Amino acid sequence: MDKNKEAAVVVFSGGQDSTTCLLWAMKKYKKVYAVSFDYGQRHKLELECAKDICKKFSIEHEILDMSLLNQLAPNSLTREDIVVDEDSPDEGTPNSFVEGRNMVFLTFVAIYAKGKKVTDIITGVSQSDFSGYPDCRDIFIKSLNTTLNLAMDYEFDIITPLMWIDKEETWEMADKLGGFDVIRNMTLTCYNGIIGDGCGNCPSCKLRKKGLDAYLSRRNS
Ligand code: ZN
């Protein structure tokens, strides 16, 4: 089968990490597809951000319905009545973890990619800011890559540009790709659903701000 090595599919949430991956992919590939998921996330705004960013860059964007994920594994990112953990627990995963989310998302993205004759799949998972999510680890990605290849008799390449870099370096990457302002103003990472710099108090905002401050002080010094 002909394979299109000049195109890639980005797993795209409209957050900082996946938008940085989108910018990265736009530099590297002639054609970029973005796939987002509607899984009943508390903040539908996330999908609006994803749409706006794709529109800005004229990226072909697909939103897949994954509401069954919320049916199976309700958690603090999908349910109004569960409060997001302020800090990571000493043991286990934080309650913002959606069981199996990356595996499910990447599997559906792989099916989508094969339909487009694309092998390269880009995801913004990172082991550096490891927040206790087991399916963000490199070993999981490699394992799933092998499994997907066997499942579909195809040579997928799951690419993780952010795997070994932290938030400070992610800001730097976006800046070097010319996307600093897009990331700063158009992405949503805040668990309380506030675009850009966010609420400033949730774990996601704190991590984002810490990286931003560190990067800006280095850039400006
Ligand atoms: Zn926040």
Side-chain angles (χ1 to χ4, degrees):
M1 186 195 283
D2 290 343
K3 294 197 187 81
N4 187 354
K5 277 285 177 193
E6 295 186 333
V9 181
V10 178
V11 186
F12 188 57
S13 71
Q16 177 183 2
D17 294 342
S18 66
T19 305
T20 303
C21 287
L22 189 76
L23 296 166
W24 184 88
M26 282 162 50
K27 280 272 192 287
K28 204 167 153 29
Y29 298 89
K30 278 190 185 152
K31 168 86 182 175
V32 175
Y33 302 92
V35 177
S36 302
F37 294 93
D38 186 347
Y39 57 103
Q41 49 271 65
R42 205 195 277 193
H43 304 295
K44 286 278 177 200
L45 198 57
E46 193 177 276
L47 289 172
E48 295 305 318
C49 288
K51 276 186 213 166
D52 288 347
I53 293 164
C54 287
K55 207 173 191 178
K56 180 180 170 67
F57 294 118
S58 304
I59 298 286
E60 198 171 321
H61 187 209
E62 189 81 39
I63 298 175
L64 302 180
D65 177 10
M66 210 56 67
S67 50
L68 59 91
L69 202 60
N70 189 26
Q71 191 180 351
L72 288 170
N75 80 94
S76 66
L77 294 189
T78 57
R79 288 264 300 269
E80 295 283 357
D81 54 337
I82 304 177
V83 178
V84 179
D85 284 338
E86 282 294 315
D87 297 299
S88 296
D90 294 334
E91 275 180 25
T93 52
N95 72 355
S96 52
F97 179 62
V98 183
E99 294 289 353
R101 179 170 57 178
N102 278 330
M103 187 178 81
V104 172
F105 285 4
L106 282 164
T107 301
F108 280 87
V109 165
I111 297 167
Y112 173 89
K114 191 175 179 189
K116 301 275 185 199
K117 296 186 166 53
V118 171
T119 57
D120 291 12
I121 295 169
I122 322 288
T123 172
V125 295
S126 172
Q127 192 161 326
S128 303
D129 281 325
F130 184 54
S131 44
Y133 295 2
D135 58 355
C136 288
R137 289 176 294 181
D138 190 53
I139 191 168
F140 164 73
I141 297 294
K142 289 193 165 74
S143 161
L144 183 65
N145 201 149
T146 302
T147 297
L148 289 172
N149 291 0
L150 290 169
M152 292 182 238
D153 194 17
Y154 198 64
E155 284 172 44
F156 291 108
D157 194 0
I158 304 180
I159 300 163
T160 53
L162 311 182
M163 182 59 78
W164 306 110
I165 69 174
D166 61 16
K167 276 283 179 285
E168 178 184 344
E169 293 162 312
T170 303
W171 278 107
E172 181 177 13
M173 182 188 279
D175 198 11
K176 285 184 173 155
L177 291 164
F180 183 85
D181 290 335
V182 169
I183 302 288
R184 181 132 196 211
N185 302 318
M186 293 183 77
T187 61
L188 176 70
T189 39
C190 173
Y191 289 158
N192 290 311
I194 300 167
I195 295 177
D197 287 341
C199 74
N201 291 317
C202 72
S204 183
C205 281
K206 283 179 186 162
L207 191 64
R208 175 175 165 134
K209 187 176 187 306
K210 194 170 156 236
L212 178 62
D213 290 348
Y215 174 59
L216 287 179
S217 71
R218 181 153 61 82
R219 189 181 74 170
N220 299 331
S221 64

